[in-house]
Amino acid sequence: HHPADHDEPWPFIVKYKSGVGRLMVAARDIDQGELIFTESCLAQGPNHTLFTPYCLDCLKEVPDTAACTKCGWPVCGPKCEVGQNHSIECQTLTENKDNIDLEYMRSKGTLYWPISTLRILLLSKENPGTWSVIQRMMSHREEHRAKETWPMYEEHLVRMIRDKCGLGDMFSDEEVEHVSGVIDVNSIRLQSRGHGVYMKT
């Protein structure tokens, strides 16, 4: 737990516990309020529980009419249309507009369900190192598949990403389900409307 680019060792170590996954354990006494590390999230996105329109980039509430001029999904305006979050999935959503029924997803309350999973999959495709870390994270996939709500997730998340977004040749059912589970198990709440997945935490 001594990074090569630091004079001091990390104040924690990462261990693995069966049934829980990775966890951080203090390697020395840590002072109250001591900053032990900082980290940017790999990807952040809207909670799947959102029903009213929120911007896919900044997560602010937006009017029903607010939409990206390219893909048609909710964004605040021109700045968020090309923002660092929405730009991850915008091209994929734009290329597959004719396959995606936004009004149907709105009526089912599932509009935001696939976004975070889609972002992580697309980012991981570009970075094998990131994908390697994501694959090692706990997802409790089998437990998710056993839930009563699973058929809804299969339709509006797995089938949406693989079939409606045209990524079936790139990602398997198992990989999409794993990333969705990783978000459920490992993400950290951001504001009250979103969550982020962090590579360390």
Side-chain angles (χ1 to χ4, degrees):
H1 60 282
H2 196 147
D5 58 344
H6 287 65
D7 292 332
E8 297 294 326
W10 289 110
F12 61 86
I13 55 175
V14 177
K15 291 189 172 184
Y16 179 86
K17 184 176 181 180
S18 180
V20 177
R22 298 179 312 142
L23 48 90
M24 290 190 294
V25 178
R28 60 164 173 78
D29 290 341
I30 297 173
D31 294 333
Q32 183 178 351
E34 177 183 353
L35 180 66
I36 57 174
F37 73 90
T38 59
E39 181 182 20
S40 298
C41 65
L42 165 65
Q44 57 182 305
N47 291 332
H48 71 275
T49 53
L50 298 179
F51 281 86
T52 53
Y54 286 87
C55 175
L56 288 188
D57 194 72
C58 70
L59 297 180
K60 289 180 182 174
E61 195 164 7
V62 295
D64 290 343
T65 53
C68 174
T69 59
K70 290 176 280 195
C71 70
W73 288 63
V75 293
C76 285
K79 185 176 179 182
C80 285
E81 193 169 298
V82 295
Q84 66 176 1
N85 295 314
H86 178 54
S87 60
I88 298 168
E89 75 276 352
C90 186
Q91 182 178 345
T92 297
L93 297 176
T94 300
E95 290 172 353
N96 295 279
K97 272 175 86 168
D98 293 342
N99 299 328
I100 300 169
D101 188 342
L102 291 177
E103 288 309 311
Y104 174 70
M105 294 180 74
R106 284 190 183 98
S107 72
K108 295 293 184 180
T110 60
L111 186 65
Y112 298 98
W113 285 23
I115 296 301
S116 297
T117 300
L118 179 59
R119 285 179 181 170
I120 290 177
L121 287 166
L122 293 173
L123 288 170
S124 297
K125 180 184 72 169
E126 304 295 329
N127 189 328
T130 296
W131 185 231
S132 176
V133 174
I134 292 293
Q135 286 178 309
R136 292 196 304 270
M137 289 182 172
M138 295 289 286
S139 69
H140 300 300
R141 178 174 170 254
E142 293 307 319
E143 289 91 331
H144 287 295
R145 289 179 66 88
K147 292 179 180 177
E148 283 184 19
T149 54
W150 173 249
M152 288 280 285
Y153 278 89
E154 186 172 29
E155 177 186 357
H156 297 287
L157 197 151
V158 181
R159 299 273 66 81
M160 165 66 181
I161 290 174
R162 296 198 67 225
D163 301 339
K164 305 292 187 184
C165 291
L167 298 175
D169 291 338
M170 195 172 298
F171 302 109
S172 67
D173 279 12
E174 182 176 5
E175 288 169 332
V176 176
E177 292 168 23
H178 175 74
V179 172
S180 173
V182 163
I183 293 167
D184 282 347
V185 174
N186 300 278
S187 66
I188 294 172
R189 179 65 59 92
L190 302 174
Q191 304 170 31
S192 60
R193 301 178 293 273
H195 49 234
V197 172
Y198 293 76
M199 303 292 274
K200 291 191 187 80
T201 50

